[in-house]
Amino acid sequence: MIRPRGPRGAEHDEPRGSEHDEPRGSERPRRMRTRLCAAAIALGIIATGQLQPPQQTEALWADGEVGRATFTAISVPIPPYGGECGIVGSLLNLGQSSLTMRWRLPAGYSLADARIGYTGSNGLVPAVDTLLGTGLRTTQSNGVLTTELTGALLNAALGASRSLSVLVVHPSGWTSPTRTVVGDWPLLGVGAATCTMTPAT
């Protein structure tokens, strides 16, 4: 007798999807997940490193070359005292008035180095320009220079205060301290006009 058999190869053939072999389609999702996780970790490390503040470093170097220099401060002397200041008033301060400053040139300086300033001027005036002046005039006698400010500028019926100054300029452009005379005329010329020099001597 011939025994009936089941489907062909049923006794010896195993199903295609045996327990030893997994379907090929399951490998790709697993690899993809692994790669995505690795990429996410790498991006996290990079982002963390960028958020950290930069570290300070120290740089040291040595240079064998040595430079030396000497600096000398220029001290320009103030024009020396030449005598007491002078002031002239007038009745009711309506007439001619004058303010006078007496000074000397520092050693090593000439009249061309002197600059004069006064109330009503626009900046300093070279002293040599006042040698033939009218409202502002400078004369010289025995080493003493006398600069006199005169004219209607000083007229002030309600009282007035005017100034006259001198300094010298070094060739480098540095200037000396200023010697100044300030004159005061009283209201309506009642009382004596006075002048004050700074420095006093």
PDB file of all heavy atoms in Angstrom, residues 40-53:
ATOM      1  N   ALA A  40      22.599  62.398  16.613  1.00  0.00           N
ATOM      2  CA  ALA A  40      22.027  63.276  17.635  1.00  0.00           C
ATOM      3  C   ALA A  40      23.004  63.506  18.771  1.00  0.00           C
ATOM      4  O   ALA A  40      23.141  64.619  19.281  1.00  0.00           O
ATOM      5  CB  ALA A  40      20.716  62.668  18.166  1.00  0.00           C
ATOM      6  N   ILE A  41      23.731  62.453  19.184  1.00  0.00           N
ATOM      7  CA  ILE A  41      24.727  62.606  20.254  1.00  0.00           C
ATOM      8  C   ILE A  41      25.855  63.542  19.821  1.00  0.00           C
ATOM      9  O   ILE A  41      26.300  64.412  20.584  1.00  0.00           O
ATOM     10  CB  ILE A  41      25.278  61.227  20.655  1.00  0.00           C
ATOM     11  CG1 ILE A  41      24.159  60.402  21.322  1.00  0.00           C
ATOM     12  CG2 ILE A  41      26.461  61.364  21.601  1.00  0.00           C
ATOM     13  CD1 ILE A  41      24.545  58.960  21.564  1.00  0.00           C
ATOM     14  N   ALA A  42      26.302  63.379  18.576  1.00  0.00           N
ATOM     15  CA  ALA A  42      27.387  64.233  18.072  1.00  0.00           C
ATOM     16  C   ALA A  42      26.959  65.689  18.025  1.00  0.00           C
ATOM     17  O   ALA A  42      27.710  66.592  18.408  1.00  0.00           O
ATOM     18  CB  ALA A  42      27.818  63.753  16.683  1.00  0.00           C
ATOM     19  N   LEU A  43      25.726  65.939  17.550  1.00  0.00           N
ATOM     20  CA  LEU A  43      25.236  67.317  17.508  1.00  0.00           C
ATOM     21  C   LEU A  43      25.124  67.908  18.898  1.00  0.00           C
ATOM     22  O   LEU A  43      25.405  69.082  19.124  1.00  0.00           O
ATOM     23  CB  LEU A  43      23.882  67.371  16.792  1.00  0.00           C
ATOM     24  CG  LEU A  43      23.917  67.132  15.274  1.00  0.00           C
ATOM     25  CD1 LEU A  43      22.509  67.072  14.728  1.00  0.00           C
ATOM     26  CD2 LEU A  43      24.720  68.220  14.589  1.00  0.00           C
ATOM     27  N   GLY A  44      24.731  67.132  19.865  1.00  0.00           N
ATOM     28  CA  GLY A  44      24.629  67.610  21.240  1.00  0.00           C
ATOM     29  C   GLY A  44      25.974  67.998  21.808  1.00  0.00           C
ATOM     30  O   GLY A  44      26.115  69.003  22.503  1.00  0.00           O
ATOM     31  N   ILE A  45      26.985  67.189  21.499  1.00  0.00           N
ATOM     32  CA  ILE A  45      28.336  67.505  21.984  1.00  0.00           C
ATOM     33  C   ILE A  45      28.842  68.802  21.362  1.00  0.00           C
ATOM     34  O   ILE A  45      29.409  69.663  22.039  1.00  0.00           O
ATOM     35  CB  ILE A  45      29.301  66.327  21.666  1.00  0.00           C
ATOM     36  CG1 ILE A  45      28.897  65.090  22.487  1.00  0.00           C
ATOM     37  CG2 ILE A  45      30.742  66.732  21.959  1.00  0.00           C
ATOM     38  CD1 ILE A  45      29.671  63.858  22.133  1.00  0.00           C
ATOM     39  N   ILE A  46      28.594  68.987  20.050  1.00  0.00           N
ATOM     40  CA  ILE A  46      29.047  70.203  19.372  1.00  0.00           C
ATOM     41  C   ILE A  46      28.340  71.427  19.937  1.00  0.00           C
ATOM     42  O   ILE A  46      28.946  72.463  20.211  1.00  0.00           O
ATOM     43  CB  ILE A  46      28.811  70.084  17.852  1.00  0.00           C
ATOM     44  CG1 ILE A  46      29.712  68.974  17.274  1.00  0.00           C
ATOM     45  CG2 ILE A  46      29.054  71.425  17.153  1.00  0.00           C
ATOM     46  CD1 ILE A  46      29.445  68.675  15.819  1.00  0.00           C
ATOM     47  N   ALA A  47      27.014  71.309  20.126  1.00  0.00           N
ATOM     48  CA  ALA A  47      26.251  72.448  20.658  1.00  0.00           C
ATOM     49  C   ALA A  47      26.714  72.813  22.053  1.00  0.00           C
ATOM     50  O   ALA A  47      26.850  73.983  22.406  1.00  0.00           O
ATOM     51  CB  ALA A  47      24.761  72.117  20.648  1.00  0.00           C
ATOM     52  N   THR A  48      26.988  71.813  22.867  1.00  0.00           N
ATOM     53  CA  THR A  48      27.454  72.076  24.231  1.00  0.00           C
ATOM     54  C   THR A  48      28.804  72.798  24.215  1.00  0.00           C
ATOM     55  O   THR A  48      29.054  73.726  24.979  1.00  0.00           O
ATOM     56  CB  THR A  48      27.574  70.775  25.025  1.00  0.00           C
ATOM     57  OG1 THR A  48      26.299  70.134  25.030  1.00  0.00           O
ATOM     58  CG2 THR A  48      28.002  71.057  26.463  1.00  0.00           C
ATOM     59  N   GLY A  49      29.682  72.386  23.332  1.00  0.00           N
ATOM     60  CA  GLY A  49      30.996  73.022  23.227  1.00  0.00           C
ATOM     61  C   GLY A  49      30.900  74.455  22.761  1.00  0.00           C
ATOM     62  O   GLY A  49      31.654  75.324  23.175  1.00  0.00           O
ATOM     63  N   GLN A  50      29.925  74.777  21.866  1.00  0.00           N
ATOM     64  CA  GLN A  50      29.779  76.142  21.376  1.00  0.00           C
ATOM     65  C   GLN A  50      29.203  77.065  22.429  1.00  0.00           C
ATOM     66  O   GLN A  50      29.471  78.250  22.435  1.00  0.00           O
ATOM     67  CB  GLN A  50      28.885  76.150  20.135  1.00  0.00           C
ATOM     68  CG  GLN A  50      29.548  75.511  18.910  1.00  0.00           C
ATOM     69  CD  GLN A  50      28.623  75.510  17.708  1.00  0.00           C
ATOM     70  OE1 GLN A  50      27.433  75.762  17.849  1.00  0.00           O
ATOM     71  NE2 GLN A  50      29.169  75.232  16.546  1.00  0.00           N
ATOM     72  N   LEU A  51      28.384  76.567  23.342  1.00  0.00           N
ATOM     73  CA  LEU A  51      27.786  77.409  24.364  1.00  0.00           C
ATOM     74  C   LEU A  51      28.758  77.764  25.474  1.00  0.00           C
ATOM     75  O   LEU A  51      28.540  78.707  26.206  1.00  0.00           O
ATOM     76  CB  LEU A  51      26.549  76.697  24.963  1.00  0.00           C
ATOM     77  CG  LEU A  51      25.359  76.535  24.004  1.00  0.00           C
ATOM     78  CD1 LEU A  51      24.259  75.757  24.683  1.00  0.00           C
ATOM     79  CD2 LEU A  51      24.846  77.882  23.530  1.00  0.00           C
ATOM     80  N   GLN A  52      29.822  77.021  25.622  1.00  0.00           N
ATOM     81  CA  GLN A  52      30.783  77.319  26.667  1.00  0.00           C
ATOM     82  C   GLN A  52      31.591  78.563  26.298  1.00  0.00           C
ATOM     83  O   GLN A  52      31.943  78.751  25.149  1.00  0.00           O
ATOM     84  CB  GLN A  52      31.735  76.135  26.876  1.00  0.00           C
ATOM     85  CG  GLN A  52      31.041  74.902  27.456  1.00  0.00           C
ATOM     86  CD  GLN A  52      32.009  73.751  27.621  1.00  0.00           C
ATOM     87  OE1 GLN A  52      33.129  73.820  27.139  1.00  0.00           O
ATOM     88  NE2 GLN A  52      31.562  72.706  28.286  1.00  0.00           N
ATOM     89  N   PRO A  53      31.857  79.462  27.264  1.00  0.00           N
ATOM     90  CA  PRO A  53      32.655  80.662  26.961  1.00  0.00           C
ATOM     91  C   PRO A  53      34.082  80.287  26.601  1.00  0.00           C
ATOM     92  O   PRO A  53      34.617  79.285  27.077  1.00  0.00           O
ATOM     93  CB  PRO A  53      32.614  81.451  28.284  1.00  0.00           C
ATOM     94  CG  PRO A  53      32.338  80.412  29.333  1.00  0.00           C
ATOM     95  CD  PRO A  53      31.469  79.378  28.670  1.00  0.00           C
TER      96      PRO A  53
END
